[in-house]
Structures are given as structure tokens and as C-alpha cells.
Amino acid sequence: MSHHLDRSPHPLTTAKVAAQQLLTELPAVSQTTDAHTLFFDAPAQEFTQALPLGNGRLGAMCYGGVGGGRITLNDSTAWSGGPGSEAANTRGLKDGPATIARAREAVAADLFAVAETELGKVATAHTQSYLPFAELVFELDFGSGAQTAQTAQQYRRTLDLRSALHEHSYTVAGRSITEQVYVSPAHQVMVVELRVMGEPLPKVTAALASQLRITAATSDPGAATLDLQLPTNAVPDYANPPTGVEYDQPGRESLRGAVVAHWQHDGTELSGGKDQHDAGTLAAAGVSRLRLVLATATNFVGSHLPLDPHVGAPLDHATDLVEAASALSSAELFQAHSSNHQELYERTELDLGSPTGDLEQPTDVRIRETPADPALAALLFNYGRYLLISSSRPGTLASTLQGIWNESMQPPWSSNFTININTQMNYWAAESANLAECHEPLFDLLESLSQKGRHTARTVYGLDGWVAHHNTDAWAFTSPVAGDASWGFWPMGGAWLATHLAEHVRHGGSEQFAAERAWPIIKGASEFALGWLVPQADGTLGTSPSTSPENHFQTEDGTIAAAGQSSTADLTIIARLFRAALELAPVGEPLTPQLEAALGRLPQIPVAPDGTISEWAQSYDQPEPTHRHVSHLYFAYPGETELTPDLAQAVARTLDARGDDSTGWSLAWKLALRARLKDTAAVERLLALVFRTAGEQHSPHAGGLYPNMFAAHPPFQIDGNFGFVAGVVECLVQSHTGHIELLPAVPALWPEGSVRGLVVRPGIVLDLSWSTETGAPTLLSARLRAKSKATAGPASVSWGELSAAVHVSDEGWTELFPADFSS
């Protein structure tokens, strides 16, 4: 069915003079570079040079260009498969609990290969994949004989983090061209504004395209649409068998989608869409001012809900969004967008003082030539917050391995939710960086997992509660996945994720949230963990079979295996989950005595003979001693274990043995861990690795930054960006042990600075400033304010060996200066 925009008297189809009234002046963009601006002097040639925009649902990667430009589009609901995808892959599982029992017996007999063969029987296929949605390509005709790319001058491409605005501008053929793009959270559309100073352009075209199956494309005067079908299945490129991207599988459903674009301009509309190759294309002549409004939609309803059965629903919804936005002036649209964005972005800001590099250089050049510039660290911190705001908003899906930006039909690791570290790291700084609202999509995903995971707990394990493993997707996949047991079998994903609910409460979340959202999910995860724990010969409790995410051990006879007994990650995650459950359990909860008893029977954190933390209950050799995962240090970070001197030394030795260098997200984890240890020398070493240019190292697991400051695994994974923000927060303030510790791990690379708007436990907003002129960080001032009356009250604050007892109010700031502290 062809859907046409409403042609009744409406701003979409008014005369040229009305369009000119709507096309008001562009917002001014600063031509100076600071800690809130990414700047480049050339168009992007590849994905990791393009610049990201997003409103949590609609994502755009802007490439810029001379004589046009390309914008790739994502929709956070655009996934392969459907709500029944997991069920279709698990119908053959009949004796899960018995299979697990056989695997446990094999582990007890040190028959690790046998155990892993058994575990493979409860594994299913892979999760579904997050997919690219569409792209928009502009072409500008400067007239016959005009040279474009060869003669363009003063090219500038920027991303302004404060206003979430991409701009590229240049002069060519006697004209000054400016294009601005933003993705509005207020109106759920992307807006492209084009202005030409000089002679109007003879012709402008805008074409929609997609890697997905296009079922219909239309071009009407001023409007273009695409109807899309998504695959029923898309497996990662390493899957066996390599089935790739599949459509129309019998008995399987898939999403439908739509893209709608409408433009207004001061030129003359040219006919388009009459020929098949023109469908989805707009064309106009004599253009000096142009605005294009674009929306995407799918028939996704919820992670565990049926798809919207109405075939035209995506096109109808996208059209409604475009019509509503197109009725407003450019000034009204941008004001609503920027106000909405800045309400979140302006809450927090990091300033690390005067730059040591050249701000006139493009961002990628600065990273390559002056990577230790503190202004770059401030920029990466602010950028991380920007990316979370842009990729995770209330009502959207959670941020994937690539946020909401993906260009591939078979993206790395399916661009899914990898929940053995990566998804969690995406949200480590959500609370402390004052973006609690951005945490909500993860809580929504948890609710879906806690429902679907009950079936998995029963069928695979025969246990109560709910469980999730290594991966999940938009459909709340919870089963073990096919592949090596080191990552395919890991029933702690849900338990780890559930602690994020407790962190929200600890940072000032409401009592209602604690009782109605956090407790039911944490209770269910705890019920599973209680059933999963098994008594050990020494009277303690353990887990078996037990893996430590993606790692292996080596026995004395040379056997390399992944499934052993009682990994440290398992037991410390369960301990933290139980402590969270005891904090939130209502009075008289029957589960409380069981939680208390089990918590008391968990063993101490094991230290190996070499003084490092042992990854399993038994100390084995490590076939990969520099492995990227440090899951056995979970208790130190993001856990809140107060480190005794001996335990801190064991953590440090473990990190030393692992080595500094690793993937981008592993560098971020180690940064946070070293900050917890107050090891500023190691923090500085890690910062040097974070700020190297990606791709210039020989190791395939060497992280760094791409030109657009995306973090490299490699390839691109956004968790490194988010983890960096969390690591910086830990350098500036820590509150996990019940008191607020200021400036615990500020490196000498940051000799002066200030931060405002951080949130510390139990829900206190913090501003502080410092200098290091005397060697150690010197506090200049700090101030605290409670987020609510519930978090107001006495607080213990320390700085170095000094401390202060203060009362924090929600009605005003409590200020602290060095003279207020005493030994």
C-alpha cells in the first residue's frame, strides 16, 4: 500500500513564501575548539571518521562532503528476528537439568572436556543482530564546469557536544555552503538545514537508500519514503554454520520499517520518482535555503511483546512525526531540540585546565601529536556523556556494543548486548555522571530478561528465579549461546546486570523504584543464585560448572579448559547481588534468612601462591596470562569491597601480571581498578594507551581511539568510551565504602581542574576544584547538595589523610575548603 503525506492545507505543501517563513536563520556555531567540540578539516571517508548524532532511538553518522554528503541512519529497534526467535532455536532442549548435573559430575572428576561437551548440549544458536537502517545522500550541483572537491576552501566539519549539532561548511564555485544536522529528542526526527550564500544551486537531490530489503519506495513533490523488511535471522560472521542474513524463513517473523523524508526550500521542485531508479529521491532547482525532516519507525512494540500486526504502522508513525515537525519553524525545532539535550548534558562538566596542545588542529591530529593534553581527556569525558545521552533515553532500547551506530549487516559480535562486561560498562557512569534517566533503558531490558529468563532457569537448570547468560538482544534472549564454553556458558549475566538497579537506589533512586522495580528483579536473580550454589567439602558454597568470562585455565597435565569450579567472578557477583537484595528486601521477606545464610557461607576471595587473585577456586596456570578480561577483580571494581592492604596488594599484583595493554574497554576497566587502588602512576600509563591512535599498533587487541574518538576494541566498541567516563570519576571521587573520598587518584597529567555535577552515594551532587602545584592534588574547594530530602543528612568526607563531617541539605549547597578538614 502506498502511503502519501496529507495534501490538505498543511505547512508541508504551502507555497514558497510560506516555506521561506519556516526556514529561519541557522543557529550560530562557535568557530573555536574547546572541550565540547570535535573538529576536522576534511570530510569523513569511513565510519570511524564520521560523527555521531542520536536521540536514543534514531541514530545518524554524518560524513560531510563537498558537493553533497552522506548520512547513515540507525533505528534502535531495527533488529533481525522477532519475539519468537529464541524459542525457535531452543525447541530441541529436553533434559537441561540432567545435562547440567552430568557436567557438574564431570568437573568434580576433572573431566573438563566431558563437562564442556555436556554444556554444549544446552547451548542454542546466537542472538539476533542490530542492523543498519537506511542512509540519506545529498548531491549539490554547482553548475556546468564547476570544480568542487579540487577547489573547495575553508572546509570545516564539527560536532558541538553542547548543542548536539553537526555542521560542515566550505566555499566553492563562488558560494559559501553550510549544512547543519541534528537529531531531535523533542520531536523524534532528524533535521538537515542547508544554506547557500551566493548564487542559488542549479540542482539539489536527496536520495534514500537501505541495505535492508526495500518493499516499496515513493517520491512525491517534497516527500520521499521507503518501506523496509528486516531479516528473520542474522548471525555473526563467525557463526557455524555461516548462514549469514536470512529473509522469509518459514514460521519466523521479522520487523517492518519505514523512512519518511520531507523537505522545504526556496527553489523549484523537480519531478521525481517516475522512473524506478528515482524512487525515494527528491530533487529541486534554484535552492539557497533548504530544510529536510526525516523520521524512521518499525513495528517493534517491546522486547517480550508481539509485533504490531498493522503492516502500515511504521509508515504511518514516521509520517506523523515528520508532519508535526515540518509544521514548525527552524528556530522552534532547534530550540526544542537543544533545550531537551542540554537539560541532560549541562548537568555535569569536566575542565582540566589550559590545553597543552594546539586547539587549531583537527581532533585526530591532536590525538596523534599531543595525546597527553589534559584538554583531550576532558573532551573524551564530555564526549562519553554525550554518547550516552544520544544512545540511551527513557523509552528507547539500551545502548548496544556500538551504541546506536552500526553500518554492517553482520556487525562485530552482532552489535548486541554482551552482558559479561560490555553492556554493564556502558552504564557504569550513568549514575555518577548525573545521567540517571539514561539508565532507564537498561532497567527496561532487565524487566524483560527477568520475565523470559524464568523459562530458561526452569528448562536449562530446573531452578526458580530467572537467569541470563553471555548475550542478549532486543528480544530479551536469555539462553546459553553456541560456541566455546568460556563465553557460551555463563549464567551470571543477569545477576551482574541486576546490581545496576541497586546502584540507582544507592545514588538517590526513590523508595518507590526500590520497592516496585528493583526488588522484584533482584529477588528473582537471587532465587536463581541460591539454587545454583552447591555445598563444597569444606562447608562453603560454590558454583559448578563455572566459567570466568572468555578465559581458560591450564591443568598440570596441560589440559586447557574453561569450565571448572567456583570462579571468583561467580562468587563475588553473587555476594554483591545478595548484599543488594538484603538492602532492598522488605521487612519480613521469607528469602532474607536464606540470603543471610548463603552470604555467610561464601568463601573468602582466593589468593594464589604467587600473590595474585586466583580466577578459580583452585589455582591453575594461565594459558593466556595477559587476557583482556579481569573478571576475577569484579569485587574491586565495579564491586564495592573495601580493600584491605593485603587484598589491595593482591589486586595490584594481578593487574601487573595481566599487563596494562589490552582492548579499549579493558583499558577503561583497568583505569577504574587502578583508581580504586589510588595508583596514579598506573593511571598515567593507562591514559597514554587510551589516547593512542587506533590501528597503529601491531596487536589485534590493542585499544585506542579512532579519528572520531570512538573507542577501539578494535574494532569499534562504545563501551570503552563509557568506561573511560567511569574511570575518570573514580580518579576524582569515590563513595563505595560509605564515605566520600575526594581526589583519590588524580594523575599529575591533570595539574589543575574542576568538575561540577557528579553524583556520589547516597545521592549527593558534588562540585570540586583542585590544583597540584605542590605535588599532591590540593583541594581548592568542594560543595555538596542532596538530590532529595531522602538523601539529605550527615556525610563523612575525606581528602587524603584529612576528613570532615558535614550536614548535606537538599535546599542549598554545603561548601568545603581545605581549612574545614582535620586529621
Side-chain angles (χ1 to χ4, degrees), residues 512-592:
Q512 181 179 4
F513 176 92
E516 297 179 6
R517 295 197 73 183
W519 168 244
I521 294 172
I522 288 176
K523 178 182 179 180
S526 298
E527 288 171 334
F528 174 82
L530 285 168
W532 181 235
L533 289 168
V534 291
Q536 305 297 298
D538 62 358
T540 64
L541 296 175
T543 56
S544 179
S546 177
T547 60
S548 188
E550 304 186 32
N551 207 356
H552 296 81
F553 58 85
Q554 184 171 330
T555 64
E556 291 182 356
D557 65 3
T559 299
I560 294 176
Q565 185 167 303
S566 296
S567 74
T568 303
D570 276 9
L571 299 187
T572 55
I573 288 170
I574 289 173
R576 188 175 183 221
L577 174 70
F578 286 176
R579 287 193 293 268
L582 290 171
E583 289 177 17
L584 298 175
V587 175
E589 167 59 45
L591 202 64
T592 296

Side-chain angles (χ1 to χ4, degrees), residues 79-86 88 91 128 229-233 246-256 299 305-309 475:
W79 290 71
S80 58
S85 295
E86 181 179 9
R91 289 171 184 157
Q128 294 302 319
Q229 181 183 348
L230 281 74
T232 49
N233 190 43
E246 300 173 282
Y247 287 87
D248 302 327
Q249 293 173 287
R252 297 201 179 192
E253 57 189 340
S254 66
L255 287 161
R256 300 283 176 162
N299 61 335
L305 297 174
L307 304 181
D308 187 331
W475 315 113

Side-chain angles (χ1 to χ4, degrees), residues 413 422 550 628-629 662-666 694 700-704 706 710-719:
W413 302 287
N422 312 96
E550 304 186 32
R628 61 197 174 275
H629 285 260
S662 194
T663 62
W665 59 263
S666 183
H701 293 297
Y706 289 109
F710 275 173
H713 177 290
F716 160 54
Q717 274 189 201
I718 205 166
D719 40 24

Side-chain angles (χ1 to χ4, degrees), residues 20 24 44 94 145 152 182 229-230 259 352 356 363 418 480 535 606 657 750:
Q20 291 174 335
T24 48
K94 298 183 183 303
Y182 59 92
Q229 181 183 348
L230 281 74
V259 187
L352 292 177
T356 58
T363 301
T418 303
W750 305 341

